[in-house]
């Protein structure tokens, strides 16, 4: 579904936050964690309305916490740990990304997680098929040439979540 733009349709709100940043790791509440002020939600009233919506309709909200391996559960605030453990805002969709690390295996033992998914990447022929399906013939040809000539770009394209 993600290649067709249908992946996030079930959500009204999707927040992607990088755990490598101290302001996310040290969050004391939803507005801190989600960076609402940084998103232009300057008024306290609007911020509270968004947080209230999240609490009222958690099944319509997804929070992506990226890069657990770049931080660790122990370095995260108690609030962030509670979100990850599922002890607050019950029913919210949570996607925690990480390279393999000890914390990932700790997460896998938590009962509230429904799935553990390991992305192993695309093979070169999968990248080619995807690019040809999404772009015009000329655009696809130009991009595939760039991918073949740039190891960094090829690496990024092989990782589905980064592409």
């Amino acid at each position: 579904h993600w290649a067709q733009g249908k992946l996030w349709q079930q959500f009204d709100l999707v927040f992607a936050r990088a755990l490598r940043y101290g302001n996310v790791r040290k969050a004391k509440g939803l507005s801190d964690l989600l960076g609402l002020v940084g998103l232009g939600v300057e008024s306290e009233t609007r911020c509270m309305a968004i947080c209230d919506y999240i609490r009222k309709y958690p099944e319509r909200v997804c929070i992506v916490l990226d890069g657990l391996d770049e931080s660790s559960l122990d370095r995260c605030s108690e609030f962030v740990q509670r979100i990850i453990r599922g002890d607050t805002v019950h029913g919210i969709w949570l996607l925690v990304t990480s390279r393999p690390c000890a914390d990932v295996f700790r997460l896998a033992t938590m009962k509230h997680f429904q799935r553990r998914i390991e992305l192993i990447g695309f093979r070169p022929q999968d990248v080619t098929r995807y690019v040809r399906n999404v772009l015009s013939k000329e655009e696809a040809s130009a991009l595939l040439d760039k991918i073949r000539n740039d190891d960094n770009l090829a690496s990024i394209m092989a990782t589905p979540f980064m592409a």
Side-chain angles (χ1 to χ4, degrees):
H1 286 300
W2 71 271
Q4 299 167 341
K6 297 179 182 177
L7 180 64
W8 304 106
Q9 287 182 336
Q10 72 210 54
F11 303 114
D12 294 331
L13 299 170
V14 176
F15 297 94
R17 305 297 292 157
L19 286 171
R20 70 179 156 270
Y21 298 121
N23 60 332
V24 176
R25 270 195 328 268
K26 297 174 184 172
K28 292 181 178 16
L30 268 179
S31 61
D32 291 342
L33 177 65
L34 304 178
L36 294 178
V37 173
L39 293 174
V41 182
E42 306 301 334
S43 81
E44 189 174 325
T45 304
R46 288 188 68 200
C47 183
M48 288 181 66
I50 292 170
C51 290
D52 288 345
Y53 183 88
I54 292 169
R55 286 184 183 95
K56 188 173 182 181
Y57 304 103
E59 72 283 353
R60 303 286 304 155
V61 179
C62 179
I63 298 175
V64 179
L65 297 177
D66 181 46
L68 180 62
D69 56 297
E70 297 175 38
S71 180
S72 76
L73 283 175
D74 298 330
R75 291 178 55 206
C76 292
S77 71
E78 180 58 32
F79 177 77
V80 173
Q81 289 183 41
R82 285 182 25 234
I83 285 276
I84 291 172
R85 286 192 313 258
D87 294 341
T88 185
V89 195
H90 299 284
I92 202 164
W93 289 79
L94 180 65
L95 174 63
V96 179
T97 71
S98 178
R99 295 180 193 106
C101 66
D103 283 340
V104 171
F105 299 110
R106 276 177 49 195
L107 286 178
T109 65
M110 294 181 186
K111 292 181 171 90
H112 70 280
F113 280 99
Q114 294 177 342
R115 292 178 188 91
R116 178 175 176 253
I117 301 170
E118 183 176 350
L119 300 179
I120 56 173
F122 287 132
R123 298 171 299 177
Q125 60 266 33
D126 297 326
V127 172
T128 300
R129 184 175 51 239
Y130 175 76
V131 168
R132 287 184 177 153
N133 284 339
V134 185
L135 300 175
S136 71
K137 189 173 185 174
E138 297 81 25
E139 291 171 325
S141 179
L143 178 58
L144 290 171
D145 285 342
K146 286 181 182 180
I147 292 170
R148 278 189 280 276
N149 295 317
D150 185 333
D151 290 338
N152 288 331
L153 186 56
S155 174
I156 291 170
M157 293 301 295
T159 308
F161 200 68
M162 293 177 68

